[in-house]
Amino acid sequence: GAVVSQHPSRVICKSGTSVKIECRSLDFQATTMFWYRQFPKQSLMLMATSNEGSKATYEQGVEKDKFLINHASLTLSTLTVTSAHPEDSSFYICSARASGVYTQYFGPGTRLTVL
Amino acid sequence: GESVGLHLPTLSVQEGDNSIINCAYSNSASDYFIWYKQESGKGPQFIIDIRSNMDKRQGQRVTVLLNKTVKHLSLQIAATQPGDSAVYFCAEIPYTSGTYKYIFGTGTRLKVLA
């Protein structure tokens, strides 16, 4: 149980284009989903927290207009990187938690490369 | 032994030995602690968790110890295997956060030597 998927696993795009990453909880209802970014050899950096049906809460320094988050259902959240630039290249990971539970279950991550 | 890499400290352990990975947490109000294992190119995988009202919790080949006096958390892996090679992160959730957000540690890379 507690499986979270992400799609795509890898994406390469040209500078200036937008990329959408999907995060799905496959066998539970995710009250809250989190989006993280991870640079090589570093820990996970929380970008934003999203609750189903509400606007996402962004961490300080994360541009909400650049990283659009939608949590339209209890099993799906999407992260759209708008007008991507090479510095947005990174490993993006989502996680999900069910209501009343502390534990976050993580997706396998999406490797974004912006040329 | 231990060495400090560019960003991640590394623990090298002989196969079959026990591993101890340490973590210092920051918030004395943290209520919940969790260990994750992350293999290269993958998302973190849940290992074990512990609540602040406990000192020790055991799982399969793993034990988590919590010392609230010095705000220290450790993960012990018994009979370390090559498949245990990964980066291990601790995370804490402050009780007062109300957001269920994790505060992650910097991580430790575990290398299992054959």
Side-chain angles (χ1 to χ4, degrees):
Chain A
V3 178
V4 176
S5 70
Q6 270 183 253
H7 179 80
S9 58
R10 289 179 176 269
V11 56
I12 301 173
C13 69
K14 292 182 178 180
S15 185
T17 61
S18 294
V19 174
K20 180 184 283 189
I21 303 170
E22 290 188 350
C23 178
R24 293 180 185 274
S25 57
L26 299 185
D27 52 2
F28 68 100
Q29 293 188 324
T31 306
T32 309
M33 286 185 167
F34 303 85
W35 286 96
Y36 295 85
R37 184 173 179 176
Q38 187 177 34
F39 292 105
K41 298 185 179 181
Q42 292 191 29
S43 188
L44 286 77
M45 182 190 79
L46 180 65
M47 298 175 67
T49 303
S50 76
N51 293 296
E52 185 264 339
S54 302
K55 287 186 178 180
T57 302
Y58 290 81
E59 295 299 299
Q60 193 171 8
V62 178
E63 300 175 59
K64 60 180 66 177
D65 294 330
K66 181 165 186 60
F67 299 100
L68 301 178
I69 291 172
N70 184 280
H71 191 164
S73 77
L74 283 171
T75 58
L76 173 65
S77 177
T78 60
L79 168 68
T80 301
V81 183
T82 62
S83 187
H85 292 287
E87 57 266 30
D88 298 324
S89 298
S90 191
F91 193 51
Y92 292 87
I93 309 173
C94 71
S95 71
R97 59 165 282 273
S99 177
V101 175
Y102 280 125
T103 307
Q104 293 179 28
Y105 293 95
F106 286 82
T110 297
R111 172 76 57 193
L112 170 63
T113 303
V114 184
L115 303 177
Chain B
E2 286 194 1
S3 64
V4 177
L6 184 61
H7 292 288
L8 289 175
T10 299
L11 175 66
S12 298
V13 174
Q14 205 69 33
E15 181 180 355
D17 288 351
N18 297 333
S19 303
I20 300 176
I21 301 171
N22 297 303
C23 177
Y25 64 91
S26 58
N27 194 323
S28 58
S30 287
D31 183 54
Y32 176 77
F33 305 86
I34 191 166
W35 280 99
Y36 285 93
K37 171 187 179 183
Q38 187 179 25
E39 297 176 73
S40 181
K42 298 182 179 179
Q45 176 187 358
F46 172 85
I47 301 175
I48 192 168
D49 58 2
I50 189 169
R51 297 294 297 263
S52 60
N53 61 353
M54 301 172 69
D55 297 324
K56 178 180 179 179
R57 191 168 186 215
Q58 287 185 289
Q60 188 176 12
R61 270 202 316 120
V62 295
T63 302
V64 56
L65 298 176
L66 175 63
N67 185 330
K68 295 181 285 293
T69 302
V70 294
K71 294 191 287 186
H72 183 267
L73 193 67
S74 70
L75 177 70
Q76 300 179 2
I77 304 173
T80 311
Q81 302 169 359
D84 295 326
S85 293
V87 176
Y88 290 80
F89 292 100
C90 67
E92 59 179 305
I93 298 182
Y95 177 75
T96 55
S97 74
T99 62
Y100 297 94
K101 291 195 296 187
Y102 285 175
I103 300 174
F104 273 100
T106 55
T108 297
R109 181 177 301 281
L110 177 64
K111 285 188 176 180
V112 181
L113 308 173

